[in-house]
Amino acid sequence: SLAMDAGSLTSSLSWEAQTVLRFIEEGRQKTAPLRLDDLPFQRANGEKGFLGFTLIPLRREKEENSECFLFGADITERRRRENLRNEFVSIVSHELRTPLSVIREGVAQVAEGLKGPVTEAQLQFLEITQRNIDRLSRIIDHLLDLSRLEAGQFRLERRPCDLASLAREVVEHFKVQADKSQISFQDKMPAGLAPVLVDGDRIRQVFTNLIGNALKYTKAGGSVTVEIKQTESGLEASVTDTGIGIPQDSLGKIFHRFERVSKIPIPGVGGVGLGLAIAKELVELHGGKIGVESELGKGSRFTFFLPFVSEAELLAEYLAQRIEEAKRTGSFVSLIFVKCQNWREIESREKPQDLGLIQTQIQDVLSRVTRDALDRIFPYTEETLGLVVVGVDKAHLQAVTERFL
């Protein structure tokens, strides 16, 4: 009966009830199961808890709506354990970073002869030590990234990005390694691709992981192909290798934490299986999808899709996230529009290629008056910026606007 009433929500329902009803209505339009996690509620003992729901639609292909099974559970304890785990991983990783930096610096000084003469045999030993220190450092970085991603503490800094140029930078980074391994790169990235709004550093991390893996599992004489295609809704990037391939029974879990492309030890190939899990989280954080096709002995093809998103859509997306968080915590969120009154005058006298730089400079000036780490500024139109301010109620909002003057 809840599903039948989902289309006629009223203000008399609580925000939590409306959320569940919207979830049911959305699920009735789907053919695949749907999940809703972390819905807050008050437990019988007065403590704050969290509910999780799974909806399984019973829908035939031609039906517009369907009946469904809805399962709900108190996930408070599970969420508490996950938070403890993430906090533990984060603390341990941070604590390891400092002594690791000291060890790296000490090894470097000895290898450079700053502490006395070093023999050839000693230098080889120090180089092995340095490589293992770097490997441990990467593992710690991956653990920290995964911990922040799972805790929802990862912030994207989206900017217009030439995806082909970014991919070529990563390929250039691996060129020496590829030449040494006698592996060739194939470039299938056409000119004139539309820019996409992404966090360039994070998407570079995705390309680095996929191309690095392709080189690891491809033998001498093989090749790695990087391709980008443009569709109506976004850009599709793929990394294809002629390597050892992935067993069919492993494809479904290859993006899980601590899963490796090959469980058979390969000389010189390290890693603990966190890279693909992080790549998946980063792509999905951009609203995209990532997948893999593979055949044993013939190679693998990893593909990820990044949708085109407008600045106004980014503003709406971020504002919705902050509103949901404010509802959960009883906090405040505000939206301030800042308009450049003489923009048309600026537009008439400046070169078109300089207008983007001027907009960025205005945005940078406004960012200096923000106080909270979650305050964000988004271009809304050519002459208007939208500022999302968190933790400030209506009574104190005037003080925020006065900082712009």
Side-chain angles (χ1 to χ4, degrees):
S1 60
L2 279 173
M4 296 303 295
D5 295 335
S8 56
L9 301 175
T10 66
S11 58
S12 61
L13 291 173
S14 68
W15 168 75
E16 291 83 1
Q18 291 184 31
T19 301
V20 174
L21 290 175
R22 283 195 298 268
F23 172 69
I24 293 172
E25 184 64 17
E26 180 184 355
R28 293 177 68 222
Q29 313 299 321
K30 306 286 186 181
T31 57
L34 210 60
R35 286 184 60 84
L36 172 67
D37 284 330
D38 296 336
L39 186 70
F41 79 106
Q42 189 168 13
R43 307 176 89 181
N45 59 6
E47 295 179 355
K48 183 179 179 180
F50 294 95
L51 293 174
F53 292 93
T54 300
L55 185 145
I56 302 177
L58 305 176
R59 182 185 179 191
R60 296 180 178 87
E61 287 300 324
K62 295 183 179 180
E63 290 181 334
E64 292 186 4
N65 293 293
S66 70
E67 295 179 342
C68 57
F69 285 118
L70 180 67
F71 303 92
D74 184 342
I75 61 170
T76 309
E77 186 59 27
R78 189 187 81 189
R79 178 62 62 229
R80 187 187 69 82
R81 289 197 299 268
E82 289 177 353
N83 288 340
L84 284 174
R85 182 200 65 195
N86 290 335
E87 185 178 355
F88 172 77
V89 170
S90 180
I91 291 173
V92 170
S93 300
H94 276 295
E95 291 299 321
L96 284 173
R97 266 186 163 177
T98 300
L100 196 62
S101 297
V102 174
I103 294 170
R104 178 190 285 110
E105 181 61 26
V107 170
Q109 289 188 19
V110 173
E112 291 170 9
L114 300 179
K115 302 299 179 182
V118 181
T119 66
E120 188 65 30
Q122 290 172 331
L123 186 59
Q124 290 179 2
F125 177 79
L126 290 169
E127 287 175 351
I128 293 171
T129 303
Q130 185 69 58
R131 285 198 297 271
N132 280 279
I133 290 172
D134 291 341
R135 178 171 176 266
L136 182 56
S137 181
R138 285 194 298 272
I139 292 172
I140 290 172
D141 288 341
H142 283 167
L143 285 170
L144 284 170
D145 283 346
L146 203 55
S147 178
R148 287 195 293 265
L149 282 163
E150 291 181 341
Q153 297 173 348
F154 220 84
R155 289 180 57 193
L156 295 179
E157 298 295 336
R158 294 193 192 234
R159 295 286 185 274
C161 174
D162 181 340
L163 200 62
S165 295
L166 188 149
R168 289 189 179 103
E169 288 177 13
V170 178
V171 168
E172 192 62 33
H173 171 78
F174 283 107
K175 205 71 169 62
V176 173
Q177 179 183 336
D179 291 343
K180 186 177 180 181
S181 302
Q182 299 177 30
I183 298 171
S184 63
F185 276 116
Q186 305 295 324
D187 184 326
K188 291 188 177 181
M189 295 176 281
L193 292 170
V196 61
L197 279 170
V198 297
D199 186 324
D201 288 340
R202 299 310 170 191
I203 298 304
R204 181 180 286 105
Q205 195 172 344
V206 175
F207 272 119
T208 298
N209 179 268
L210 298 183
I211 294 173
N213 275 349
L215 291 174
K216 282 181 186 178
Y217 298 104
T218 299
K219 297 178 181 178
S223 65
V224 174
T225 302
V226 183
E227 183 176 9
I228 298 178
K229 297 178 181 178
Q230 183 170 326
T231 69
E232 289 184 3
S233 54
L235 297 182
E236 181 183 277
S238 64
V239 176
T240 306
D241 63 60
T242 57
I244 61 175
I246 305 168
Q248 290 297 309
D249 59 357
S250 296
L251 289 178
K253 52 187 177 181
I254 196 66
F255 294 103
H256 293 180
R257 288 173 297 170
F258 304 110
E259 282 290 332
R260 295 185 60 189
V261 171
S262 172
K263 292 183 172 60
I264 303 172
I266 300 175
V269 176
V272 294
L274 290 174
L276 287 175
I278 292 172
K280 179 176 183 290
E281 293 281 352
L282 289 174
V283 170
E284 291 180 350
L285 199 60
H286 283 83
K289 294 182 179 180
I290 188 169
V292 59
E293 303 169 81
S294 186
E295 188 174 346
L296 272 179
K298 292 189 176 180
S300 303
R301 174 186 172 91
F302 285 84
T303 303
F304 65 94
F305 176 78
L306 297 171
F308 291 133
V309 183
S310 69
E311 297 278 12
E313 287 174 317
L314 286 185
L315 169 59
E317 176 187 293
Y318 188 73
L319 182 60
Q321 292 172 359
R322 299 278 63 84
I323 289 174
E324 294 295 329
E325 183 65 24
K327 286 177 177 177
R328 289 194 187 101
T329 61
S331 183
F332 299 91
V333 61
S334 302
L335 174 61
I336 301 173
F337 285 108
V338 181
K339 185 175 182 179
C340 180
Q341 295 287 1
N342 62 334
W343 177 255
R344 295 306 169 194
E345 180 186 336
I346 295 173
E347 196 174 36
S348 66
R349 70 169 186 258
E350 298 293 339
K351 297 177 181 178
Q353 60 266 32
D354 293 334
L355 293 177
L357 177 60
I358 294 172
Q359 288 172 326
T360 301
Q361 290 173 338
I362 294 174
Q363 191 170 337
D364 288 342
V365 169
L366 292 179
S367 67
R368 295 171 193 167
V369 306
T370 59
R371 294 289 186 267
D372 194 284
L374 293 175
D375 291 348
R376 297 292 297 278
I377 298 173
F378 296 89
Y380 184 68
T381 65
E382 286 185 336
E383 58 194 47
T384 307
L385 295 172
L387 171 61
V388 179
V389 181
V390 300
V392 180
D393 59 22
K394 191 173 182 180
H396 295 88
L397 199 58
Q398 183 62 33
V400 176
T401 59
E402 287 175 355
R403 293 205 299 266
F404 293 113
L405 304 178

